[in-house]
Amino acid sequence: MQERALSGGAQRTVAAFKFAMERFGPYENSPHFAVACSGGADSLALTVLLHEQVVSLGGMVTALTVDHGLRENARAEAEATGKVLDGLGIRQEILTWSGPRPASGIQAAARDARYRLMFEWCRENTVLHLFLGHHALDQAETLILRQRKGSGESGLSAMPAIRDLPDLRLVRPLLAVNPQDLRCFLSDRELAWIEDPSNRDRRFTRVRLREELQTDAAGRVGELADSARGHGFVRDQTERRLANWFARHARLDPFGCLLLERGALKQGSDTDAKALLARALMTVGGAVYPPRGRALEGLLSEIAAGKSFRRTLGGCLIEGRLDDLLIFRELALTTSQPMVEAQFLWDGRFLLSVSVEAGYGERLGDRGFRAAALGNKGWKGLCAANAESSLRAKPHPARLAIPAIWQGDKLVAVPLTGWYCPDWPKDLAVKCRFRPIFPLSAGGFTVVQNERHII
């Protein structure tokens, strides 16, 4: 980075950022980084830091600014941010959230849309790293909110510095940085940032909580960061232990059916057993959150009893046999989605990719195509077409919950089996693979770091 006369806050920002980036590597040759940049102080500081870093690596940065369309000046602010970035030689892409808005929970919906748009852009542009500007105060707020909700060890570790997703890597290099230091960094460079008025709207829980924390920001935020870090180390050890258990005692079928060794599940602690069951149910059910603790305790009691059983939990059907557990997706809870995108995640479990040759440009959703479970009707249709042989060896609940493509009420394709109806367009192919929101095991939780705490 270019040497500058920096204030104390700016020096701390640069030091913490360099420390994080050195330990989050290595990176690909001539990397292309994407960064979420709203134009606020936190994201703008991160964008500038990344740009200065990536120049030394022979790469480039693209700033992704999402226009949610929720405020009158949102577009103008996005374009103003673009002018600031352009003056620094940083490329910007403005992504627009279109479509209907929910009547309630607008902040959560906007956040989901923001991540979806950025993920899609990264995937389409083969960008492997998406950087986020969360800082120490964000981490403290997250920890307090989870404490109030009664979260366990996993939740109390708050946000990881790195989160590996199937298509890209989310990176938060500023989690050890105080937001005031980020403002010092920008002020030293005479860069103006945008203040989002929603950040002062006391109707939102995070705004009220931030006001409480800022009365003693230096002391309490530091204590909360240390607490999250401690929980993070425990979570990292737990995740690695669970990953080792799954590698030894589980078999996951590409059709989304999971087998667990019942005896091995009873040998460990109840805490680990509940964590294993929660992860298994989230993987098979395509869920974002695990079932509640009491429900998991009830399932664990049935497993310990040693008898056969059959029950539903977490969007899954669970069959307890003498030696093992079989976990399937619950057919009644699967989703039906219009095929309006070339690639989309169906039911939180299967990634469907539509490959269209030149000359076939219509969106499948416009022709009534939708992705839904095969179900009993689809299974009968496959049998009538003598195309069911590849599914015969699968347990019946597993075969019913796989994705199929329908046009109205007509079954037209089952991508996992390679079957297409006779009038399916020859220049159209659909690839399908099991890629749940949460995979069965993670690579370990990346703990928030600073100069005193090494990952």
Side-chain angles (χ1 to χ4, degrees):
M1 294 184 183
Q2 183 179 351
E3 293 296 329
R4 300 172 184 268
L6 300 179
S7 63
Q11 290 178 19
R12 289 190 293 271
T13 294
V14 173
F17 175 78
K18 284 184 175 181
F19 185 89
M21 292 297 288
E22 288 171 359
R23 283 150 183 81
F24 291 172
Y27 308 98
E28 60 273 23
N29 293 328
S30 302
H32 184 181
F33 293 154
V35 55
C37 183
S38 65
D42 313 328
S43 62
L44 181 59
L46 175 59
T47 303
V48 175
L49 286 163
L50 271 176
H51 175 65
E52 294 177 352
Q53 167 86 12
V54 84
V55 167
S56 66
L57 299 175
M60 65 176 290
V61 168
T62 298
L64 303 181
T65 305
V66 177
D67 175 11
H68 299 91
L70 297 177
R71 293 188 293 107
E72 183 179 351
N73 297 328
R75 191 72 182 187
E77 289 175 357
E79 292 173 352
T81 298
K83 291 181 180 179
V84 173
L85 295 173
D86 185 62
L88 298 170
I90 302 172
R91 176 189 173 200
Q92 182 203 42
E93 288 281 348
I94 298 178
L95 311 177
T96 304
W97 181 25
S98 57
R101 304 290 196 270
S104 61
I106 189 66
Q107 274 204 328
R111 181 185 62 247
D112 291 344
R114 179 166 63 252
Y115 279 109
R116 175 177 56 80
L117 289 168
M118 292 191 297
F119 290 175
E120 289 173 356
W121 188 92
C122 289
R123 185 172 61 238
E124 292 169 1
N125 291 274
T126 322
V127 171
L128 303 179
H129 294 85
L130 173 60
F131 287 80
L132 306 174
H134 297 118
H135 48 64
L137 188 54
D138 292 320
Q139 186 77 313
E141 293 166 3
T142 300
L143 177 58
I144 290 178
L145 289 173
R146 292 183 180 179
Q147 285 174 336
R148 292 177 178 179
K149 290 180 179 179
S151 295
E153 195 72 51
S154 178
L156 295 179
S157 54
M159 291 182 286
I162 298 172
R163 182 182 171 197
D164 287 306
L165 300 176
D167 297 324
L168 77 158
R169 197 184 198 204
L170 298 183
V171 187
R172 299 180 175 96
L174 302 180
L175 283 175
V177 181
N178 190 292
Q180 190 57 45
D181 287 347
L182 296 173
R183 284 159 173 75
C184 291
F185 172 82
L186 292 177
S187 297
D188 281 4
R189 284 163 171 72
E190 299 182 350
L191 294 174
W193 59 88
I194 295 169
E195 293 287 359
D196 186 343
S198 66
N199 290 333
R200 299 188 298 273
D201 191 337
R202 300 192 82 258
R203 290 176 300 172
F204 301 123
T205 302
R206 273 193 180 267
V207 173
R208 298 193 300 272
L209 181 56
R210 177 158 295 195
E211 290 178 357
E212 295 174 20
L213 286 171
Q214 285 177 332
T215 60
D216 183 23
R220 195 174 177 199
V221 169
E223 291 174 3
L224 290 166
D226 284 341
S227 176
R229 187 177 295 111
H231 288 293
F233 281 122
V234 174
R235 178 175 173 178
D236 175 61
Q237 294 169 356
T238 300
E239 287 194 355
R240 294 180 188 277
R241 188 168 63 251
L242 299 186
N244 183 61
W245 190 96
F246 280 125
R248 292 169 174 265
H249 305 294
R251 293 202 301 275
L252 181 61
D253 188 278
F255 282 55
C257 170
L258 177 63
L259 182 144
L260 303 178
E261 294 179 12
R262 188 168 181 169
L265 196 59
K266 294 189 292 184
Q267 290 173 1
S269 69
D270 285 355
T271 300
D272 275 6
K274 285 191 290 186
L276 289 164
L277 289 172
R279 194 76 183 198
L281 294 172
M282 292 172 68
T283 297
V284 176
V288 177
Y289 299 107
R292 292 189 177 276
R294 289 185 179 180
L296 290 170
E297 289 170 3
L299 175 58
L300 192 58
S301 296
E302 287 193 84
I303 294 170
K307 299 179 181 179
S308 298
F309 66 89
R310 184 182 175 97
R311 62 169 296 182
T312 58
L313 180 62
C316 299
L317 171 66
I318 306 154
E319 290 187 357
R321 307 189 300 190
L322 292 181
D323 297 324
D324 51 47
L325 298 179
L326 278 173
I327 303 178
F328 313 98
R329 175 70 165 121
E330 189 176 355
L331 177 62
L333 298 181
T334 56
T335 60
S336 177
Q337 296 173 235
M339 299 184 67
V340 296
E341 297 176 330
Q343 182 168 284
F344 62 97
L345 188 64
W346 175 75
D347 197 43
R349 302 181 296 135
F350 286 93
L351 186 67
L352 295 178
S353 303
V354 180
S355 176
V356 181
E357 299 295 337
Y360 193 90
E362 293 181 89
R363 294 192 309 175
L364 296 181
D366 294 339
R367 300 181 58 188
F369 285 87
R370 62 186 175 90
L374 180 66
N376 286 298
K377 182 178 179 179
W379 171 246
K380 292 177 181 177
L382 279 182
C383 292
N386 295 316
E388 82 287 1
S389 60
S390 62
L391 290 177
R392 281 287 183 191
K394 307 295 179 184
H396 194 58
R399 64 172 79 122
L400 296 186
I402 65 172
I405 299 175
W406 301 78
Q407 190 174 28
D409 292 330
K410 178 185 177 183
L411 179 70
V412 293
V414 186
L416 277 175
T417 70
W419 178 82
Y420 297 89
C421 69
D423 57 351
W424 181 265
K426 290 184 172 56
D427 57 356
L428 181 64
V430 180
K431 295 181 179 180
C432 179
R433 61 186 175 93
F434 186 66
R435 203 220 69 179
I437 296 174
F438 282 96
L440 196 58
S441 61
F445 184 87
T446 308
V447 180
V448 179
Q449 81 303 313
N450 59 25
E451 291 86 344
R452 296 181 294 110
H453 295 83
I454 309 298
I455 295 173

